[in-house]
Amino acid sequence: MDKLNFNDFKRTFTYKDKYKKVGFVAFPKAMFFDERLSVYHLKVAGILEIHAFSGKKQCFPSLATIAIEAAISKPTVIKCLNELQSLGYIEIEKKHRKVNHYYLKFW
């Protein structure tokens, strides 16, 4: 069996069935008016918010999951995560050979 590459997986993923039609994501207004943040930053932050445990403000989606659900490349996800952390919006706990844990600090 051939390996499934990221772009093939992205095309077969049915994101709309999982999240698009149910619920909402809330952000502080300050994030929308922060000129340092791009649409990509907001998409990544939104995906983290979707995956956050209720009331706990932590999550651990993989980089591939974030990239697929935000419809952006993995390098862009990594860049946005690092910038969101340096701006104080999230905290990243790196796990060796495991999925990182993300703590939302924008609330």
Side-chain angles (χ1 to χ4, degrees), residues 74-91:
K74 233 165 128 177
T76 302
V77 168
I78 293 167
K79 180 182 176 194
C80 288
L81 287 169
N82 290 333
E83 290 172 354
L84 285 167
Q85 182 178 28
S86 69
L87 293 170
Y89 287 111
I90 65 171
E91 184 179 320

Side-chain angles (χ1 to χ4, degrees), residues 84-102:
L84 285 167
Q85 182 178 28
S86 69
L87 293 170
Y89 287 111
I90 65 171
E91 184 179 320
I92 302 171
E93 182 182 337
K94 297 193 184 280
K95 301 285 189 174
H96 181 65
R97 296 186 181 245
K98 293 183 181 178
V99 177
N100 294 335
H101 288 209
Y102 304 99

Side-chain angles (χ1 to χ4, degrees), residues 3-93:
K3 277 182 109 176
L4 186 65
N5 72 33
F6 179 74
N7 288 328
D8 290 338
F9 182 68
K10 188 174 173 181
R11 281 191 286 276
T12 61
F13 185 76
T14 56
Y15 174 75
K16 67 180 178 178
D17 297 334
K18 194 170 183 183
Y19 295 114
K20 263 192 176 175
K21 296 182 180 180
V22 180
F24 60 92
V25 175
F27 289 100
K29 289 180 185 176
M31 285 185 79
F32 283 104
F33 295 109
D34 188 338
E35 294 178 357
R36 301 169 296 178
L37 299 180
S38 70
V39 167
Y40 299 121
H41 292 97
L42 297 175
K43 287 179 87 171
V44 168
I47 296 301
L48 294 179
E49 178 74 18
I50 287 169
H51 286 275
F53 293 112
S54 179
K56 302 248 187 225
K57 297 300 179 193
Q58 69 179 22
C59 59
F60 43 90
S62 69
L63 292 173
T65 297
I66 298 168
I68 290 165
E69 293 179 2
I72 57 179
S73 71
K74 233 165 128 177
T76 302
V77 168
I78 293 167
K79 180 182 176 194
C80 288
L81 287 169
N82 290 333
E83 290 172 354
L84 285 167
Q85 182 178 28
S86 69
L87 293 170
Y89 287 111
I90 65 171
E91 184 179 320
I92 302 171
E93 182 182 337

